Amino acid sequence: MSDDNATTDPAALPDGGEEPPRETVSVPDEVELPRLLDFYELQDPEHTRIHRFYDELRDGEFRTTRCRDCDSLHFPPRIVCPECLSDDLAYTDLPHEGEMHSFTEVRGTAAIGMNEDTPFVVGVVDLGPVKLSARIDDASHEDLEIGSPVRLKIVDIDGPREQDRVFYRFVPV
């Protein structure tokens, strides 16, 4: 779906596959440090101009922006093209499957909301049109290798904020 006004049938994903798996993770009820250190940003129109990315992710869609003037694809989504400075951007689908480009295992202290379950794997996922960094769930460093196939996983954030938040991760295929 490259047209930002198009509607989707939730059962029919752009890549013809199944909806990505979903789980809920929790963040602490009390954050003793400043709000700026909360890993997951506030995702409503009042707090971010890319709220559409989160709204669509919440609905099982993984999308980003493409510039209508110079055709550059951006991840994360942007409100202005970093290549030509145009603000004529459209949301476009990203694949739900890719492969590991690089990865490492976090064994020590991590960011707020991510430090209760060390060790965990983070890496760069190659989706074809873009490479992006993400947490890789359900795998240890020993389970993966460069080129390992991975699939999108949507994570609902359960935490102290008064709004629903969502994020993306990947899992081995």
Side-chain angles (χ1 to χ4, degrees):
M1 295 181 49
S2 58
D3 179 37
D4 65 336
N5 293 322
T7 59
T8 61
D9 173 5
L13 295 176
D15 59 6
E18 300 175 3
E19 287 198 17
R22 180 183 292 268
E23 80 169 276
T24 299
V25 297
S26 295
V27 294
D29 287 335
E30 294 183 32
V31 177
E32 295 179 21
L33 298 171
R35 164 73 191 102
L36 291 174
L37 296 179
D38 185 347
F39 180 79
Y40 303 103
E41 68 182 344
L42 298 176
Q43 300 169 354
D44 62 335
E46 181 182 341
H47 294 95
T48 181
R49 292 179 61 192
I50 63 164
H51 60 88
R52 180 173 171 179
F53 169 76
Y54 297 109
D55 293 342
E56 292 178 350
L57 185 61
R58 195 171 288 107
D59 292 337
E61 297 180 56
F62 197 44
R63 304 183 82 205
T64 194
T65 52
R66 179 180 300 277
C67 180
R68 289 181 173 145
D69 290 339
C70 74
D71 204 39
S72 293
L73 188 68
H74 322 104
F75 193 88
R78 309 293 169 88
I79 60 170
V80 173
C81 176
E83 301 298 322
C84 72
L85 303 181
S86 170
D87 62 357
D88 189 10
L89 306 175
Y91 274 80
T92 186
D93 293 315
L94 287 173
H96 288 199
E97 293 191 8
E99 61 182 40
M100 295 304 307
H101 179 75
S102 63
F103 58 94
T104 191
E105 188 168 73
V106 176
R107 295 182 180 168
T109 305
I112 292 176
M114 300 177 71
N115 57 0
E116 273 80 37
D117 59 349
T118 55
F120 58 86
V121 176
V122 294
V124 175
V125 175
D126 186 347
L127 294 177
V130 296
K131 289 182 178 88
L132 54 91
S133 61
R135 184 164 164 166
I136 312 300
D137 283 352
D138 304 330
S140 68
H141 187 272
E142 293 77 24
D143 298 331
L144 298 169
E145 58 186 50
I146 303 303
S148 292
V150 291
R151 175 179 298 133
L152 176 70
K153 173 182 173 180
I154 297 171
V155 179
D156 295 307
I157 308 302
D158 180 23
R161 301 288 164 219
E162 269 100 52
Q163 61 176 260
D164 294 329
R165 295 186 290 169
V166 66
F167 210 69
Y168 61 91
R169 295 181 181 177
F170 286 83
V171 293
V173 173

